Amino acid sequence: MPDRDTVPAVLGDLRAVDGALYAAVAATPTPALDRALRLLSRAADHSKISFGVAAGLALLPGRPRRAALAGVVSVTLASAAANLLGKRMVRRHRPDREQAQVAVARHVHMPESASFPSGHTASATAFATAVGVVLPPAAVPLGSLAVAVGYSRVHTGVHYPGDVAAGAVLGFAAAAVSLAVVRGVGCGSGCGAG
């Protein structure tokens, strides 16, 4: 059993590593990536990308429609867990991107909410995982997109890497719950055959 000083010391070390990773990303010049990652980060606001993909999948009967339903339920769960629970419980301050000298070309709007966990990452991971389980051909492209969304939040300076990692874990959990719910209630005749 660890003593009382071990847990705070380990948490302190993890925060130091998290800050160092954030600073390393900020200090690495990437002019060819800055605009694309800034645009991706903005496009992921309010899960616009996921909802757009879900709308397209919902037009097709069978597995694609079931995947869309599972994806939307997972985004809803992940977003609620990240924004209504996680951020209010942990209350971690956002990174100071001016102090870290994050290039202005990378900047997106700095949210006023707490930093931990990343809601963008939680939602993107939840969507990619749930849709990928129901519709396996979509797993790799959506999973890659979720990773890119998570990284974009660090690249633009609005999250620490630890926030993104926690968001991904939360997204996996939300997808698992979503898949159980969608299987439990069934999809009804609206999902089509297949």
Side-chain angles (χ1 to χ4, degrees), residues 8 18 33 70 123 131 152:
D18 206 18
L33 293 175
S123 295
V131 171
S152 78

Side-chain angles (χ1 to χ4, degrees), residues 34-79:
D34 291 348
R35 183 173 186 273
L37 289 169
R38 187 181 75 241
L39 292 173
L40 175 61
S41 185
R42 285 183 182 158
D45 287 347
H46 310 293
S47 299
K48 289 183 287 209
I49 297 171
S50 296
F51 288 135
V53 171
L57 290 173
L59 296 174
L60 304 170
R63 279 186 183 269
R65 194 169 293 163
R66 284 194 300 276
L69 176 62
V72 168
V73 171
S74 70
V75 167
T76 304
L77 293 172
S79 181

Side-chain angles (χ1 to χ4, degrees), residues 44 47 75 78-79 82-83 87 94 114-125 149 153 159 163 167 170:
S47 299
V75 167
S79 181
N83 295 306
K87 291 180 185 289
R94 293 277 173 174
S115 190
F116 184 94
S118 166
H120 282 68
T121 306
S123 295
T125 301
V149 166
R153 301 303 284 170
H159 276 293
D163 304 335
L170 187 58

